[in-house]
Amino acid sequence: VQENVLQRVLQLPVVSSTCETLQRKYSSTKESHPLMASVCEVYERGVQGAGALAAWGMEPVVRRLEPQFAVANDLACRGLDHLEEKIPALQYPVDK
């Protein structure tokens, strides 16, 4: 199974803890401001619809470029390996 650079980046403690913090802030803002919650829900539905449409429209292109994506992903994974070696702070949550 080939590694996916995006999944690897999202699993880095510094990235995952940042995402969790942002998600908590977003959720608490929606809970404390009803008007903001309704605006956010409309926005979320729009983003989901646009994302689904974009994915459907890009499928033929993605299939055709799959070999190039695999090469780019491999290079990105190697670059991430190098970064993880050189920057140990990537392995710690943001608060540390």
Side-chain angles (χ1 to χ4, degrees):
V1 177
Q2 185 175 6
E3 291 180 295
N4 180 309
V5 72
L6 182 58
Q7 289 172 338
R8 280 191 54 195
V9 168
L10 291 173
Q11 290 173 354
L12 288 171
V14 69
V15 175
S16 64
S17 68
T18 300
C19 290
E20 288 169 8
T21 299
L22 290 172
Q23 180 61 40
R24 281 193 304 271
K25 295 286 185 194
Y26 180 75
S27 294
S28 70
T29 299
K30 280 176 54 176
E31 289 173 9
S32 60
H33 302 288
L35 179 58
M36 181 64 97
S38 62
V39 170
C40 288
E41 288 169 11
V42 168
Y43 173 74
E44 290 166 8
R45 283 193 298 273
V47 168
Q48 286 173 345
L53 182 60
W56 175 78
M58 291 297 295
E59 185 181 354
V61 174
V62 170
R63 268 189 275 126
R64 189 173 316 137
L65 295 176
E66 197 167 354
Q68 290 87 343
F69 288 146
V71 170
N73 182 67
D74 185 53
L75 289 172
C77 283
R78 285 193 236 157
L80 186 56
D81 290 339
H82 183 72
L83 281 176
E84 287 176 318
E85 286 176 22
K86 299 292 182 188
I87 307 172
L90 293 174
Q91 300 303 323
Y92 300 104
V94 172
D95 59 355
K96 293 186 179 183

